[in-house]
Amino acid sequence: MVKCFDITRHIEKLCPPSLACDWDNVGLLVGRGDKEIKKILLTLDVDEYVVSEAISVGADMIVSHHPVMFTPIKRLTENTPQQRFLRSLCKNDVCLYSAHTNMDCAIGGLNDYLAAKLGIENAQVFEETVDGAGFGRYGTLKCKTTVQDMITRCLKVLNLSDVRYTGDLQREISVVAVNSGSGSNILAECIDRNVDLLITGDLKYTPAREAYENGIAVIDAGHYGTEVIFTELMYKYLSVEFPDTEILVSKANECVLKTYVDKQ
């Protein structure tokens, strides 16, 4: 019989909560550690749609990347979406566990997984924190390629319809960095390490200009686009340890930012 704390302990072998940022809210956020878990739903985000999906498919537990309750919850009424789905989780006895910045910086965590999917070899951490972990990765490609080819690779590997970018599309590159989610904060380190291309999300105009002026290309594949692969990583990790537990990937979770293209 698999209990909730069996799942959480195994996740924390990969990404200990001690790796999380001080402002973060990781770990078991809702539910009982001794609850029997027969079905898990994996998701990037948690909202009313995902919680409704979990209840409809009979999931005992949700494992998400992005946590909830970053600020104190003073009421549990029906007045806000978060209050409603928290009430629903409690009412239906569904556990909620989140692995966020600890998963981002863990060795073998989200950034290592993103780097590997994009063909970045010998990936190294930018700034080590605890036990060699840290945010962002940089390494080399097996063969030199162009910015345009890396855009094509991102679109295919991350299943995206579009990306934003800065730089010369035909420039040859070999040293590539990744930082999942909102990752332009490592731009200074990219400059110091002579990185050719940074792949991240949530790129603002000023960092984009800084990259441009320093000769670094950037592919903004989106916060969602660079992190939704959390569900792939977690599926592979949990299914090996808990082969008799049914594990599903959310169909209700989607990127809320859309791109409108005028076809006229």
Side-chain angles (χ1 to χ4, degrees), residues 164-167 187 196-200 203 207 211 216-220:
R164 300 190 304 160
Y165 76 94
T166 68
L187 184 56
D196 299 316
L197 169 68
L198 168 62
I199 301 170
T200 187
L203 183 65
I216 295 178
V218 181
I219 296 175
D220 183 344

Side-chain angles (χ1 to χ4, degrees), residues 16-232:
S18 60
L19 297 179
C21 295
D22 293 340
W23 51 263
D24 208 355
N25 190 28
V26 303
L28 183 62
L29 305 182
V30 178
R32 300 177 289 111
D34 62 351
K35 178 178 173 58
E36 183 180 1
I37 305 297
K38 296 180 180 179
K39 187 179 293 187
I40 300 171
L41 182 69
L42 304 176
T43 184
L44 176 63
D45 308 298
V46 183
D47 56 22
E48 284 189 284
Y49 308 107
V50 172
V51 171
S52 294
E53 178 186 22
I55 294 168
S56 68
V57 300
D60 306 294
M61 183 177 188
I62 297 172
V63 176
S64 75
H65 183 48
H66 292 148
V68 296
M69 298 184 287
F70 281 107
T71 57
I73 301 296
K74 297 183 178 181
R75 293 175 177 80
L76 282 177
T77 67
E78 296 289 314
N79 292 337
T80 68
Q82 183 174 113
Q83 290 179 24
R84 288 193 293 270
F85 74 66
L86 288 172
R87 282 170 57 89
S88 186
L89 287 171
C90 295
K91 179 180 178 180
N92 291 276
D93 196 22
V94 178
C95 298
L96 170 60
Y97 184 93
S98 298
H100 190 209
T101 52
N102 51 326
M103 178 62 83
D104 289 332
C105 64
I107 299 300
L110 190 56
N111 272 291
D112 279 323
Y113 190 66
L114 176 60
K117 282 182 72 71
L118 293 172
I120 300 169
E121 300 181 343
N122 305 312
Q124 301 177 57
V125 176
F126 273 100
E127 290 187 8
E128 293 187 5
T129 54
V130 181
D131 297 326
F135 290 101
R137 300 290 187 271
Y138 69 102
T140 56
L141 301 174
K142 187 173 184 179
C143 299
K144 282 187 176 182
T145 187
T146 64
V147 173
Q148 186 166 14
D149 287 339
M150 285 304 296
I151 288 176
T152 301
R153 187 179 302 185
C154 285
L155 293 172
K156 181 179 179 180
V157 170
L158 301 178
N159 193 28
L160 303 173
S161 61
D162 60 89
V163 298
R164 300 190 304 160
Y165 76 94
T166 68
D168 179 0
L169 288 176
Q170 301 309 315
R171 178 188 172 189
E172 279 198 342
I173 56 171
S174 60
V175 182
V176 180
V178 297
N179 200 10
S180 62
S182 299
S184 59
N185 57 296
I186 66 167
L187 184 56
E189 286 84 355
C190 288
I191 295 170
D192 290 343
R193 290 169 173 78
N194 296 314
V195 168
D196 299 316
L197 169 68
L198 168 62
I199 301 170
T200 187
D202 291 348
L203 183 65
K204 293 185 178 180
Y205 185 76
T206 299
R209 282 216 57 89
E210 184 181 358
Y212 173 80
E213 291 168 2
N214 283 276
I216 295 178
V218 181
I219 296 175
D220 183 344
H223 197 123
Y224 180 93
T226 56
E227 292 200 329
V228 71
I229 56 172
F230 165 84
T231 58
E232 292 179 18

